[in-house]
Amino acid sequence: MDLSMRWLADYVDCGCDTKTFCDGMTLSGSKVECFEQEGDYLKNVVVGKILSVKDHPDSDHMVICQVDVGDGEPIQIVTGASNVSEGDFVPVAKHKSSVLHEGKVVKITKGKLRGEVSDGMLCSIGELGLTTHDFPYAIDDGIFILGDDCDRTVGKDIREAVGFDDTKVEFEITSNRPDCLSVLGLAREASATFNVPVNIKEPSFEGVDGDINEIMSVKIHNPELCPRYMCGYVKNVKIEPSPHWLRERLRACGVRPINNFVDITNFVMLEYGQPMHAFDLRYVEGAQINIRNAVKGERITTLDGIERELSEEMLVIADSKKPVAVAGVMGGEYSGIMDDTTAVVFEAASFNGASVRTTAKKLGMRTDASARFEKELNPENAYPALIRAFELVELLGCGEVIRSFIDCDMSQKKDTGVEFNPEWINNFLGTDIDAKQMAGYLESLSFEIKDGKVYAPYYRIDIECKADVAEEVARLYGYNNIPKTIIKGQANAQLTDKQKFDRLITSSMLGMGVNEITTFSFISPKYFDKIRLPKDSKLRRAVKIMNPLGEDTSVMRTTILPSICEVMARNYSYRNDSCYVFELGNEYIPQDGEELPTEPERLGIGFYDTKNKVDFYTVKGIIEQLLDRGGAEQVEFSRPSEDSAFGETDAFHPGRCASAFVNGREIALFGELHPETLENYGINCRTYAAKVNVPELMELCVTQKTYKPLPKYPAIMRDLSLICDEELAAAVIEKTIRKASGKILESITLFDIYRGEQIAQGKKSISYSLTFRSHEATLTDEQADKTMAKILSALGEQGAELRM
């Protein structure tokens, strides 16, 4: 919000310089970004009066002017402009002055033009940094001849003479304070900040007789998106430039003057913070205004000349046939004010802020009006804004206002107030402010206190609870005056079980020399092909991003494996000899009938090493260590089955991958990546990866450590060598031995696998070391022999026999 200090002075006298004003407003909650003076680049440019004009003796287009600049003696200036004559008052850039030329500040000094002395330069409107919108009677390609609306005192600084010496203060207004997007709102804030009175008069108008309902009609079809719509009628309209004082204020606030009626709507928007629109009644077919949702496929050409397609959720202002404006954003091309307009309809309405923002964003057009409406203006603001517009019409004498107006008000006015509890406020702020002092602060902001409650004025939509009231007290009391206090109470923050488990995983992986990474959750659909996902895999059904940065980030990942592979591929392409990485991240799995996907946490692991020997057992060892650190019990490993819980098995080498089971549930998939997968990623060495289902693992792990006493009784050691089919897995043999042994089996260790001449083809020799121990008494050889017999019997059923 750009604020004209001259305009502010119409309502409040702060009694301080601009810097003090900016500091005070910032400390009271209205943050000032910067301030600047209009035309501060103009130096030594004054009002001059042309005393005489004669032709240049050595030029057919230049003239020599004698100009009075208030220095006693006139000065001579040579100019090529053809619109100057004796008696004209003009801007004169004297010797050692500066003006604006093509957007840059240039220095002006005396010199000679075709042999004649020129002690300066006569200035055009552009060289002052102004336009014909500021002074409609000026011309672009000639000298600026000062009109009656300027101070034509000879020698006067040109900035003061033309009203180009205002100070503009730029505010950064937060979204909860739309009332401060107005001159009146900032005037109220300045009044409370500097404890000075504010002079804001209620607008009024006289009007002429007439019934607007006989001229036009209004109907709100969607009161949720438009709770209030007001309009008035002005006849016998005269379209002409606005007076100088009005153009001056608009320019200082960054708005270009156009004509009196358009300027009135902009003036009211800046003054009251209420956007308005003026319609030419000729282009409102049927003299009907319908506030409705657009019809699918409906189109409108807006005031900027661009045709836009509307959608059903957008609110429009329509006549009996077509939209004439996009509600709260911009009017239509043929709804604007023309030079021959004779009847004008003023609109002041309230629109749903979220709807306006959504519409403006979809149409790609954010205006001053939409910026205000999207912050949810109070419907009560429409009335004073409309009356102020009528008042300005009569003040400017540019039309006759019909006394009656239309007010379709469907808003629900509920003001239950907020509890006023000085003791609570002091406790909340850590202050000791007197209750009367608090009341004074609130009353300076036009708050009303009665029956133990605080009632905010209608334009303060941000006051909803006691903390909001406390904030008002704090900012006027002065944040710098609030004493420092030590936080009372004791923090009892603790990590959740999930956080503890995640930290356990992270520390375990880091302890094994694997580096943590973080990757984007959105990937390219092409990644699914790179890890060889089957065409019918459910993992190919991904959540699509509505506004992706590009195809490479267009879907949410359903598997963490491609993210790990991408990092390894990038490191390999950078010629890094090794890469050991892991990531704790989420996958996003769409659910039928649900709007949002589930987001299970997964651990992804990947590594390669071109110098050190790593193989399948390296990645298996990492998984074993991880499961052991986590407290997993009854861990088993086997080849992935066709009905594996993991859909990424095709990414791995079919003979060098395995699944890890905890208590019978498949928890992890790991192994060497398939050669085709490595080719897709451009990796030319053996590479290993793993994926672990973290929530499932956490559920099955025992986090409470249980310690056992040292054994009291000796152990019996037995070795067992077996011959079995090549296909019989060592894990199956181990499971069979444990089941047959019962409680006395303390440990089992595989120490040899042999294939050779002494073993038949298709067979293998596999040897285990078994340790038996009882915690109740010393085991006898007889007990150990019986247990070995049970083991051999159970193994025989699996096709394994004792090697002789």
Side-chain angles (χ1 to χ4, degrees):
M1 171 71 187
D2 291 340
L3 175 67
S4 159
M5 292 298 290
R6 184 169 293 160
W7 196 348
L8 179 72
D10 292 343
Y11 305 108
V12 62
D13 181 9
C14 298
C16 60
D17 58 29
T18 303
K19 188 176 186 310
T20 303
F21 170 81
C22 294
D23 292 341
M25 292 295 283
T26 297
L27 288 174
S28 68
S30 303
K31 182 184 176 185
V32 174
E33 288 289 301
C34 61
F35 69 90
E36 62 177 337
Q37 289 189 329
E38 289 183 316
D40 58 356
Y41 45 82
L42 296 175
K43 306 294 183 184
N44 205 21
V45 182
V46 300
V47 176
K49 182 178 181 181
I50 298 179
L51 302 178
S52 66
V53 179
K54 68 176 183 179
D55 293 335
H56 193 292
D58 196 24
S59 173
D60 57 358
H61 70 281
M62 291 184 177
V63 294
I64 301 174
C65 302
Q66 297 298 319
V67 186
D68 181 5
V69 292
D71 291 340
E73 293 293 326
I75 62 174
Q76 176 172 297
I77 294 179
V78 179
T79 179
S82 60
N83 68 320
V84 294
S85 58
E86 184 179 329
D88 286 343
F89 291 89
V90 295
V92 180
K94 299 193 295 183
H95 176 54
K96 293 185 179 180
S97 61
S98 61
V99 296
L100 203 64
H101 179 69
E102 295 182 352
K104 297 181 179 180
V105 178
V106 296
K107 302 288 185 180
I108 303 298
T109 56
K110 64 182 180 181
K112 287 187 177 182
L113 290 175
R114 297 283 181 93
E116 294 292 333
V117 174
S118 182
D119 291 324
M121 182 182 75
L122 305 184
C123 301
S124 68
I125 187 118
E127 287 160 338
L128 299 181
L130 300 170
T131 69
T132 54
H133 291 284
D134 302 303
F135 292 91
Y137 55 82
I139 59 176
D140 288 321
D141 56 352
I143 302 302
F144 177 30
I145 309 299
L146 303 185
D148 294 338
D149 55 356
C150 301
D151 185 344
R152 297 190 289 190
T153 302
V154 174
K156 192 174 188 66
D157 186 280
I158 195 64
R159 294 172 57 227
E160 297 180 28
V162 300
F164 193 42
D165 58 342
D166 199 353
T167 299
K168 177 174 67 175
V169 179
E170 181 183 346
F171 285 87
E172 179 186 337
I173 305 301
T174 55
S175 59
N176 66 321
R177 292 298 306 275
D179 60 296
C180 287
L181 289 171
S182 66
V183 177
L184 293 184
L186 291 172
R188 296 186 189 102
E189 288 295 305
S191 170
T193 299
F194 297 99
N195 195 25
V196 293
V198 60
N199 179 28
I200 299 176
K201 297 179 180 179
E202 289 293 326
S204 62
F205 74 104
E206 294 183 4
V208 297
D209 292 335
D211 186 359
I212 191 174
N213 293 292
E214 296 178 357
I215 301 171
M216 59 182 296
S217 63
V218 174
K219 184 176 181 181
I220 298 177
H221 296 265
N222 190 339
E224 290 185 4
L225 299 186
C226 178
R228 190 176 192 182
Y229 190 93
M230 298 184 69
C231 65
Y233 180 74
V234 184
K235 64 180 182 179
N236 297 329
V237 166
K238 302 174 188 176
I239 305 300
E240 56 190 9
S242 299
H244 181 246
W245 64 267
L246 196 151
R247 300 196 309 267
E248 186 179 290
R249 279 158 172 71
L250 291 180
R251 182 192 65 237
C253 291
V255 175
R256 185 183 68 180
I258 298 177
N259 60 51
N260 48 6
F261 274 86
V262 174
D263 292 350
I264 285 173
T265 61
N266 286 331
F267 188 91
V268 173
M269 178 184 70
L270 292 171
E271 189 174 43
Y272 281 81
Q274 172 67 46
M276 294 187 65
H277 190 65
F279 294 102
D280 188 330
L281 192 59
R282 292 177 300 175
Y283 299 104
V284 180
E285 294 196 40
Q288 298 177 15
I289 290 182
N290 295 285
I291 301 93
R292 61 170 174 82
N293 286 78
V295 178
K296 186 177 181 180
E298 213 166 20
R299 307 181 76 86
I300 184 175
T301 300
T302 47
L303 283 171
D304 54 6
I306 300 174
E307 186 180 44
R308 305 177 189 274
E309 184 174 350
L310 306 173
S311 54
E312 294 172 323
E313 74 277 5
M314 297 179 182
L315 193 71
V316 297
I317 312 299
D319 56 24
S320 59
K321 294 183 179 179
K322 65 184 185 304
V324 295
V326 181
V329 183
M330 186 180 286
E333 182 178 27
Y334 298 107
S335 70
I337 305 301
M338 312 294 181
D339 291 339
D340 59 347
T341 297
T342 59
V344 168
V345 176
F346 275 124
E347 162 203 290
S350 177
F351 301 112
N352 178 271
S355 173
V356 171
R357 178 169 177 80
T358 301
T359 299
K361 189 173 182 179
K362 284 190 175 182
L363 294 178
M365 47 192 296
R366 195 166 188 265
T367 61
D368 286 338
S370 68
R372 286 169 169 81
F373 276 126
E374 69 188 25
K375 293 174 177 61
E376 210 70 57
L377 298 179
N378 192 299
E380 291 188 46
N381 204 40
Y383 174 79
L386 183 64
I387 303 304
R388 177 58 167 159
F390 293 159
E391 184 179 56
L392 288 170
V393 170
E394 293 184 341
L395 180 64
L396 272 56
C398 55
E400 297 178 1
V401 181
I402 298 297
R403 191 172 290 119
S404 64
F405 52 85
I406 295 175
D407 184 4
C408 294
D409 189 358
M410 300 183 184
S411 61
Q412 298 180 354
K413 300 177 178 66
K414 293 182 180 180
D415 188 3
T416 57
V418 177
E419 179 187 355
F420 179 54
N421 188 335
E423 183 180 352
W424 183 92
I425 292 174
N426 275 323
N427 185 56
F428 182 70
L429 297 177
T431 55
D432 187 19
I433 306 173
D434 184 73
K436 289 185 178 180
Q437 189 177 356
M438 288 187 190
Y441 290 144
L442 296 174
E443 289 167 357
S444 71
L445 293 166
S446 300
F447 285 60
E448 183 180 0
I449 302 175
K450 63 180 180 180
D451 300 329
K453 287 191 173 183
V454 177
Y455 295 87
Y458 71 86
Y459 47 81
R460 289 300 303 273
I461 64 171
D462 59 311
I463 306 301
E464 297 179 347
C465 62
K466 291 190 294 184
D468 294 329
V469 176
E471 181 185 7
E472 299 302 302
V473 172
R475 67 191 186 90
L476 293 184
Y477 177 69
Y479 294 121
N480 293 339
N481 296 325
I482 297 177
K484 299 177 182 179
T485 56
I486 299 175
I487 297 176
K488 298 178 181 179
Q490 294 181 351
N492 190 28
Q494 295 181 355
L495 295 175
T496 63
D497 291 339
K498 177 183 178 302
Q499 290 173 325
K500 291 177 182 177
F501 196 74
D502 284 350
R503 292 193 177 193
L504 175 64
I505 290 176
T506 301
S507 63
S508 299
M509 298 305 301
L510 293 174
M512 289 184 280
V514 189
N515 303 301
E516 186 174 12
I517 61 171
T518 300
T519 61
F520 289 124
S521 297
F522 29 87
I523 62 173
S524 168
K526 295 178 181 178
Y527 285 11
F528 298 141
D529 294 327
K530 295 178 78 171
I531 65 168
R532 303 178 72 248
L533 272 185
K535 297 298 182 183
D536 59 348
S537 173
K538 63 182 180 180
L539 295 179
R540 286 185 177 269
R541 182 188 167 203
V543 176
K544 295 182 179 179
I545 299 175
M546 294 179 63
N547 54 341
L549 299 175
E551 195 275 341
D552 286 344
T553 54
S554 60
V555 299
M556 303 300 290
R557 68 186 178 197
T558 56
T559 168
I560 200 171
L561 189 59
S563 301
I564 298 294
C565 292
E566 285 292 326
V567 172
M568 291 193 293
R570 190 176 302 114
N571 276 272
Y572 188 83
S573 68
Y574 293 162
R575 298 184 181 180
N576 289 331
D577 293 331
S578 63
C579 176
Y580 293 81
V581 295
F582 78 94
E583 178 180 11
L584 267 174
N586 294 95
E587 296 175 345
Y588 302 84
I589 312 298
Q591 300 296 305
D592 293 331
E594 297 290 337
E595 184 177 357
L596 297 176
T598 59
E599 302 180 18
E601 187 179 28
R602 300 292 182 244
L603 170 65
I605 305 171
F607 64 89
Y608 71 81
D609 198 323
T610 59
K611 290 189 175 181
N612 297 323
K613 184 177 180 180
V614 292
D615 55 19
F616 169 83
Y617 295 104
T618 307
V619 67
K620 181 174 181 287
I622 290 175
I623 297 298
E624 285 178 320
Q625 180 72 6
L626 177 66
L627 297 181
D628 181 66
R629 284 288 306 276
E633 296 179 342
Q634 300 182 27
V635 178
E636 299 177 6
F637 298 94
S638 69
R639 291 180 181 177
S641 60
E642 293 183 359
D643 58 348
S644 171
F646 295 90
E648 304 94 332
T649 54
D650 286 356
F652 292 88
H653 192 295
R656 298 171 188 161
C657 72
S659 293
F661 293 80
V662 178
N663 290 341
R665 289 180 62 180
E666 192 173 12
I667 294 298
L669 176 69
F670 61 92
E672 182 180 328
L673 291 176
H674 196 285
E676 291 183 5
T677 303
L678 296 177
E679 184 178 352
N680 293 336
Y681 283 100
I683 301 175
N684 194 27
C685 66
R686 289 190 174 184
T687 303
Y688 302 86
K691 174 182 167 182
V692 182
N693 293 347
V694 177
E696 293 86 343
L697 176 61
M698 178 182 169
E699 180 184 344
L700 295 170
C701 283
V702 178
T703 56
Q704 184 70 37
K705 296 289 185 181
T706 301
Y707 295 92
K708 297 179 181 179
L710 293 173
K712 296 180 180 180
Y713 305 102
I716 294 179
M717 308 286 293
R718 296 289 175 91
D719 289 343
L720 182 63
S721 294
L722 304 170
I723 293 179
C724 61
D725 293 335
E726 185 69 51
E727 291 76 16
L728 185 59
V732 174
I733 297 176
E734 182 177 332
K735 185 176 180 181
T736 302
I737 294 174
R738 288 186 181 278
K739 186 176 180 180
S741 299
K743 296 181 178 181
I744 67 170
L745 179 64
E746 185 175 79
S747 66
I748 176 172
T749 304
L750 173 65
F751 67 85
D752 183 56
I753 297 178
Y754 174 73
R755 301 173 183 86
E757 296 179 357
Q758 292 86 352
I759 306 299
Q761 190 172 4
K763 300 284 186 177
K764 64 182 176 182
S765 171
I766 186 165
S767 301
Y768 291 91
S769 176
L770 309 180
T771 301
F772 299 107
R773 191 193 305 269
S774 172
H775 293 280
E776 298 173 356
T778 301
L779 283 179
T780 64
D781 288 338
E782 183 179 356
Q783 289 175 311
D785 291 341
K786 286 182 179 181
T787 301
M788 289 297 294
K790 289 180 181 180
I791 292 172
L792 291 173
S793 175
L795 290 173
E797 296 177 4
Q798 296 290 341
E801 58 183 21
L802 189 64
R803 180 181 176 186
M804 305 302 292

